[in-house]
Amino acid sequence: MWTGVFPAVTTKFTTDDRLDHAEMERCFSLQMEAGCDGIIVCGSLGEGPMLSPDEKIEVLKTAQKIAGKKPVLLTVNEAGTREATSIARRAAKEGANGLMVVPSPIYHTNAEETVAALRAVAEAGDLPVMIYSNRLAYRVDVTVDQMEELASDKRFVAIKESSDDIRRPTEIINRLGSRYDLFTGVDNLAFEALSVGAIGWVAGLVTAFPRETVAVYQLMKQGRREEALAIYRWFRPLLDLDVSTYLVQNIKLAEVFAINTNDRVRMPRMPLSGERRKTVEKIVKDALAVRPTLPQF
């Protein structure tokens, strides 16, 4: 159902901490022009937990305006299942193409609770669901056993696999075949995951470097592994910025230099400063200085 590069887009704010829809439209358009295949809004990179339910729906509508016929997914990452089911219903009412659902980031559910909560959200929204499994960031591992348990519900269509274990994609495929659209969700494991069967990439640094991200994906899809690998090796220091407590600030700072936007974040986050900012600036500027010429694909 879903395949390709789905940017986990950043949320843009004005200087007085309101949603900057005009800047989001511009930035989202860069993703579509580069050939991305969908958009995911209000996730961790989109500072979803810091957005009100109304703001999430506003961001969804802005993405829909830009994406056209391409799918737009809303991230459901509420602490409580009651709130998660509520936003799922609202997303469905507003025409979202699907949901990316995270187990509660506050209460670390056991296996039974995880499955029950995911089912509740899927039933409430009655939309296609991408299960977001990220045991490092959210402390809950949606395991292959749980994926198999959920497979009887056709609303669960995809997995964003972010366990940080490159063995996991093969385990999913060996157990479940093509039952789920398998996306990698860790930028600096993307080449490896695409090599072993992932058919999609929920990407982070794509917001700053959309054409390079699409190039890696498309070249891998065409079997042009060495060309993809050359770009990926250049890309790796940038992709490593996605795997950090400061991923939002890192990527927004990369966007400053790559697509001429701002790095405003919503508190308690604050823009990078001091040595940390200097380090990230150097990584981005060094990469831009030797930016590769992309092949045709």
Side-chain angles (χ1 to χ4, degrees):
M1 181 176 181
W2 293 325
T3 186
V5 176
F6 280 44
V9 292
T10 54
T11 299
K12 293 301 177 185
F13 301 104
T14 63
T15 54
D16 59 351
D17 199 35
R18 298 176 183 273
L19 295 178
D20 189 342
H21 291 285
E23 185 62 359
M24 282 189 277
E25 287 183 17
R26 186 184 76 84
C27 294
F28 297 172
S29 292
L30 295 175
Q31 304 300 301
M32 297 296 98
E33 291 165 7
C36 292
D37 301 282
I39 295 178
I40 300 177
V41 298
C42 305
S44 53
L45 189 54
E47 299 174 77
M50 284 69 178
L51 303 178
S52 71
D54 288 345
E55 286 178 320
K56 291 184 180 186
I57 297 301
E58 289 182 41
V59 175
L60 171 68
K61 290 180 178 179
T62 296
Q64 289 170 324
K65 179 179 177 181
I66 300 304
K69 295 182 179 180
K70 293 182 178 180
V72 179
L73 280 61
L74 177 73
T75 306
V76 177
N77 54 6
E78 276 62 25
T81 303
R82 179 183 63 176
E83 291 74 19
T85 55
S86 175
I87 196 69
R89 291 188 191 96
R90 290 188 65 181
K93 184 178 179 181
E94 297 297 338
N97 299 105
L99 306 170
M100 184 172 76
V101 183
V102 182
S104 171
I106 300 300
Y107 172 68
H108 303 149
T109 50
N110 64 30
E112 180 183 7
E113 292 167 330
T114 300
V115 169
L118 290 170
R119 285 192 190 279
V121 175
E123 290 169 3
D126 197 26
L127 290 170
V129 170
M130 177 183 289
I131 302 167
Y132 185 6
S133 178
N134 188 335
R135 63 188 180 187
L136 296 183
Y138 297 115
R139 309 292 178 88
V140 174
D141 188 8
V142 184
T143 65
V144 181
D145 286 343
Q146 292 165 40
M147 294 174 195
E148 186 172 30
E149 187 174 351
L150 292 166
S152 60
D153 187 333
K154 293 182 180 179
R155 287 172 290 210
F156 293 104
V157 301
I159 305 291
K160 179 184 176 184
E161 207 301 289
S162 300
S163 70
D164 204 39
D165 182 353
I166 196 56
R167 295 168 294 193
R168 181 66 68 85
T170 299
E171 292 167 359
I172 294 170
I173 293 168
N174 281 352
R175 178 83 68 88
L176 296 162
S178 59
R179 166 61 186 82
Y180 291 105
D181 298 332
L182 181 58
F183 281 66
T184 180
V186 181
D187 268 5
N188 63 4
L189 279 178
F191 180 88
E192 293 83 351
L194 292 168
S195 297
V196 296
I199 64 170
W201 180 359
V202 177
L205 267 297
V206 66
T207 64
F209 296 92
R211 297 191 182 280
E212 288 83 357
T213 307
V214 170
V216 170
Y217 177 83
Q218 289 294 338
L219 291 168
M220 288 296 288
K221 184 179 178 181
Q222 295 173 20
R224 296 161 64 181
R225 181 182 181 280
E226 293 304 316
E227 293 172 274
L229 184 56
I231 300 167
Y232 186 69
R233 285 174 174 161
W234 164 83
F235 214 170
R236 260 298 302 273
L238 293 163
L239 298 177
D240 289 347
L241 298 175
D242 181 56
V243 187
S244 166
T245 302
Y246 300 97
L247 83 162
V248 176
Q249 294 96 317
N250 289 346
I251 293 174
K252 284 193 168 183
L253 184 55
E255 290 179 323
V256 168
F257 297 103
I259 62 169
N260 194 32
T261 187
N262 63 75
D263 65 339
R264 298 182 195 114
V265 288
R266 179 163 281 181
M267 291 184 73
R269 286 188 178 91
M270 297 176 67
L272 298 181
S273 60
E275 289 303 314
R276 183 171 282 115
R277 188 179 185 91
K278 290 179 183 178
T279 298
V280 175
E281 281 191 11
K282 184 176 187 306
I283 291 169
V284 177
K285 290 179 178 179
D286 286 352
L288 286 170
V290 291
R291 198 169 191 171
T293 299
L294 301 179
Q296 296 294 315
F297 49 85

